[in-house]
Amino acid sequence: MKIAIINQSEADNAALPLLALSSEMFLKQFVADNDGDPSRVEVHTFPTLAQAPDGWLRAFLQDHLDTPDAAAYHDRDEKGNPIIYVGFKNIPDGELFHGKAGDGASLAGELQHELAEAWIDPFCNLYADLTVIDPATGQFYRSLAVEAEDPVQETCDTFDV
C-alpha cells in the first residue's frame, strides 16, 4: 500500500515529513502484525493532488470534514478508489503527534487509525454477520463493518442489513 498525504489544511507543512515517516513506521508494523508484507508500505507527502502518483491511496488533511463530529474517516472516491480524510480543526488543540494527555488525540493518531482501517478494508465494503445487542436500547443488529479499530464507533451505530 502506497499512501500520498496531501495537506489542504492549516497544519504546518514543515511537520509533514515527520508525519509521513511516523505513519509509515506505524503502518509497516501494523501490516507485519497482520501477516502482510511491510516492504510494500510507503508513505509520502505531496504539495498537491496533481503531484500524487496514480494508484496511491490519497490521505487528505483538511481543516474541516463534511461529516459532523468526525475527526477522520476512510471511504471511496467517485471512482471507487480508497481515500482518507482527516480534519485538522477537529483535533483537540491542533495536536500533530500526541494528545496533551499522552494519548492518540492528534493528527498522527487519527491518520494512523484510518490507515490501519484502510489496509484491512480498503474499499469500505466488508461486513461481518454476527449478533450485537445495543446496550442502550436492547435492539439486535446482525452485521458490523469489518474495521481494525472501531467497527461501529459506538454500539448504537450498528445497523440491520
Side-chain angles (χ1 to χ4, degrees):
M1 174 181 277
K2 295 183 179 189
I3 295 96
I5 299 173
I6 299 133
N7 188 16
Q8 299 175 329
S9 75
E10 293 179 16
D12 186 357
N13 281 318
L16 294 186
L18 185 56
L19 178 67
L21 178 62
S22 68
S23 295
E24 183 173 305
M25 292 171 62
F26 163 81
L27 190 56
K28 283 184 179 216
Q29 185 63 56
F30 181 83
V31 167
D33 289 345
N34 286 276
D35 299 322
D37 180 0
S39 70
R40 298 180 60 209
V41 173
E42 272 184 64
V43 181
H44 297 282
T45 61
F46 296 91
T48 66
L49 175 59
Q51 293 171 309
D54 288 336
W56 286 38
L57 183 150
R58 276 107 160 116
F60 290 98
L61 309 181
Q62 299 177 327
D63 284 328
H64 301 283
L65 302 179
D66 59 358
T67 304
D69 301 324
Y73 67 93
H74 69 285
D75 201 350
R76 292 180 285 181
D77 67 15
E78 64 282 350
K79 296 180 182 176
N81 298 312
I83 195 163
I84 292 172
Y85 295 98
V86 181
F88 179 63
K89 299 281 184 164
N90 297 44
I91 307 296
D93 301 315
E95 291 294 330
L96 293 175
F97 295 101
H98 56 83
K100 290 190 187 251
D103 58 13
S106 66
L107 185 67
E110 293 295 338
L111 177 59
Q112 291 168 10
H113 172 119
E114 296 305 327
L115 287 171
E117 291 188 344
W119 186 82
I120 293 291
D121 183 13
F123 298 104
C124 303
N125 63 354
L126 298 178
Y127 293 87
D129 291 328
L130 64 125
T131 300
V132 175
I133 302 171
D134 182 340
T137 65
Q139 184 171 351
F140 285 82
Y141 296 93
R142 305 279 185 242
S143 284
L144 297 174
V146 173
E147 292 192 346
E149 303 292 329
D150 56 356
V152 295
Q153 306 291 10
E154 303 292 335
T155 56
C156 61
D157 290 340
T158 57
F159 56 93
D160 275 323
V161 175

